[in-house]
Amino acid sequence: MDNRYEYVKALWRDYWTQKPGELITVSKEDIAREQTDGGHWPASYLESLAVYRDICERFVARDVVLFHCSALAYRQRGYLFAAPSGTGKSTHARLWREVLGDAVRMINDDKPLLKVTSEGVTVYGTPFAGKEGLQENSSAPVAGIVLLHQAGTNSIRKLSPQEAYPMLLNQTYRPKDAAGLIKTLELVQRLSELPVYSMGCTISREAVALAVQTLTGQELPS
């Protein structure tokens, strides 16, 4: 990484490797383009966004996409909770940790990477993990995806690939170039073939119990 600021290097401290790879370089113009919301973010922070964008653009060719979700591992299997920002995906993941304790590992609480292969999908941690920075340099095979929405009662239903596809696409980073976009659409189609559920939930232990039973076929531990 040919970085200008120490912030981005420190951010990736848990992910450094000595193995040779590709050089990531971003320009001043790339950094400036990340200032998109009318705010005044430090250039060091904007550089980290530009670096991650560059990585995600390159990784699509390797069957890897950024999926906006809260990703955890329970009994060595990965579960992804996706929803528009502010809906409560991090809250639901936190309830899993509170209810299930050490049986749950947070892989990434905001922007993990998904590797799509003929054998299945694997979720990988990244340092871009939301306000709380909940992440680790680990991975897990994805066993289910839950698309959350707030509700007064808990309910869950499995979606067909046709139903799931547009919702999954909405949570997936889409490259700007045509080839990258087409490849991303193909990868999301394969994601939609996983077990994908729509869940209306409350902030409660009962919501966790319903999700765990549906996703794993097991009751909550007593």
Side-chain angles (χ1 to χ4, degrees), residues 94-119:
R94 173 178 58 79
L95 288 172
W96 275 58
R97 298 195 303 275
E98 291 178 358
V99 172
L100 298 167
D102 292 341
V104 171
R105 294 186 293 106
M106 285 302 303
I107 295 177
N108 185 279
D109 201 30
D110 192 37
K111 294 181 176 68
L113 294 172
L114 304 183
K115 170 74 172 179
V116 184
T117 71
S118 58
E119 287 77 36

Side-chain angles (χ1 to χ4, degrees), residues 150-166:
Q150 296 176 351
T153 58
N154 298 309
S155 64
I156 191 168
R157 69 180 184 91
K158 191 172 184 179
L159 300 177
S160 68
Q162 293 75 20
E163 289 178 292
Y165 181 84

Side-chain angles (χ1 to χ4, degrees), residues 7-169:
Y7 172 78
V8 66
K9 187 174 182 179
L11 184 68
W12 287 91
R13 62 185 178 274
D14 295 334
Y15 295 83
W16 285 112
T17 176
Q18 297 303 316
K19 296 179 181 179
E22 298 181 30
L23 178 64
I24 302 295
T25 303
V26 296
S27 66
K28 292 182 179 179
E29 291 74 22
D30 293 329
I31 295 172
R33 277 193 290 270
E34 295 298 332
Q35 193 78 266
T36 58
D37 60 358
H40 298 283
W41 298 102
S44 57
Y45 171 70
L46 297 176
E47 181 184 44
S48 73
L49 300 183
V51 165
Y52 197 33
R53 188 182 302 277
D54 188 297
I55 290 171
C56 293
E57 295 273 348
R58 298 185 191 209
F59 272 17
V60 169
R62 302 180 183 184
D63 299 332
V64 176
V65 294
L66 184 158
F67 188 68
H68 185 210
C69 69
S70 185
L72 57 80
Y74 175 58
R75 294 182 174 175
Q76 311 308 315
R77 307 191 77 185
Y79 299 98
L80 315 181
F81 302 101
S85 296
T87 301
K89 61 183 182 298
S90 293
T91 299
H92 187 73
R94 173 178 58 79
L95 288 172
W96 275 58
R97 298 195 303 275
E98 291 178 358
V99 172
L100 298 167
D102 292 341
V104 171
R105 294 186 293 106
M106 285 302 303
I107 295 177
N108 185 279
D109 201 30
D110 192 37
K111 294 181 176 68
L113 294 172
L114 304 183
K115 170 74 172 179
V116 184
T117 71
S118 58
E119 287 77 36
V121 178
T122 304
V123 57
Y124 289 87
T126 76
F128 292 86
K131 295 179 181 179
E132 301 300 324
L134 298 173
Q135 53 79 25
E136 63 179 34
N137 187 358
S138 68
S139 64
V142 177
I145 303 174
V146 182
L147 304 170
L148 298 171
H149 60 274
Q150 296 176 351
T153 58
N154 298 309
S155 64
I156 191 168
R157 69 180 184 91
K158 191 172 184 179
L159 300 177
S160 68
Q162 293 75 20
E163 289 178 292
Y165 181 84
M167 301 180 192
L168 296 175
L169 181 62

